[in-house]
Amino acid sequence: MRPARPIAAALALLAAACASKPPKLYLIEDAPNAGGPQQARELYVGVARVALPAYASDARIARRSEGGRLILDDDHRWAEPPEDSLTRVLSSQIARELGGLSVSEPFPRGFKLDIRVASTFDQFLLTENGEAVMTGTISYITGDGRRTLKIEPFSVKTGVTGASMGDYAAAVSVNLAEIGGQIAGTVEDLRSDAG
């Protein structure tokens, strides 16, 4: 009778897989100290799904190491696709800042938007210096999507107060609050110019 090597090998692989630790998951959430609700206004903002560079679209958290090498961390991951959570939190921040209604893509059919906002990120990572960095551009588009009103850059960075990835996730939330404030300010300016 032949020894059951394939079965023994499969069992050894299964035991090794069970012994490895699952990755830690982190949420991107509204900043806890974000401004309170503004006076309600009749303003409807559509927030397009954010665009991220390929490395930042990965569930693994991206960080830069010494020498500029990019690392995708297998042990620390976003709890949901980063595009989804960034879009949701930005939409929430904009609504809070403007006191209006902000909806994310896909936009409800037949819903009349006053303005659309599209954010394209060039950077979204933790630097070797311990900073949460986000850079990119924001496009402001008419509610019907036919005309671009303005394109402006954004560049924010927040020092990570602790050494954990949870501290990094908190710094990401602070950055999003700043970007949301910038968007809200530009939307207000565009409304004033149109009025």
Side-chain angles (χ1 to χ4, degrees):
M1 187 169 167
R2 290 174 42 187
R5 285 186 185 157
I7 293 173
L11 288 174
L13 282 174
L14 182 61
C18 292
S20 66
K21 291 196 267 183
K24 294 178 181 168
L25 302 178
Y26 302 88
L27 287 172
I28 298 172
E29 301 178 286
D30 279 342
N33 296 326
Q38 304 292 318
Q39 182 178 357
R41 298 174 211 170
E42 198 170 308
L43 177 66
Y44 303 112
V45 179
V47 180
R49 191 169 195 253
V50 303
L52 293 176
Y55 72 83
S57 294
D58 198 288
R60 295 172 293 175
I61 293 177
R63 60 185 173 87
R64 192 179 296 136
S65 70
E66 305 239 348
R69 198 180 89 182
L70 187 69
I71 296 171
L72 294 176
D73 196 326
D74 285 317
D75 295 327
H76 302 278
R77 301 175 185 233
W78 297 119
E80 60 183 325
E83 293 94 341
D84 293 346
S85 51
L86 290 170
T87 303
R88 185 188 68 252
V89 172
L90 261 183
S91 182
S92 173
Q93 293 284 350
I94 293 165
R96 181 182 294 115
E97 291 279 340
L98 292 171
L101 176 66
S102 178
V103 294
S104 305
E105 273 187 319
F107 304 127
R109 181 177 243 162
F111 190 77
K112 188 174 183 292
L113 297 170
D114 293 305
I115 193 166
R116 296 181 190 209
V117 177
S119 304
T120 302
F121 285 67
D122 298 324
Q123 290 185 87
F124 172 42
L125 49 75
L126 175 63
T127 69
E128 66 274 22
N129 300 325
E131 293 177 319
V133 173
M134 296 177 174
T135 64
T137 57
I138 304 161
S139 300
Y140 301 86
I141 305 153
T142 55
D144 60 11
R146 294 183 180 175
R147 187 165 54 94
T148 299
L149 302 169
K150 182 175 184 174
I151 299 175
E152 67 181 1
F154 67 88
S155 179
V156 294
K157 61 183 175 182
T158 298
V160 177
T161 56
S164 77
M165 283 296 182
D167 296 318
Y168 170 58
V172 166
S173 297
V174 170
N175 281 354
L176 286 173
E178 188 172 335
I179 296 168
Q182 177 180 339
I183 291 170
T186 301
V187 168
E188 287 281 26
D189 291 345
L190 291 169
R191 281 189 80 191
S192 298
D193 292 345

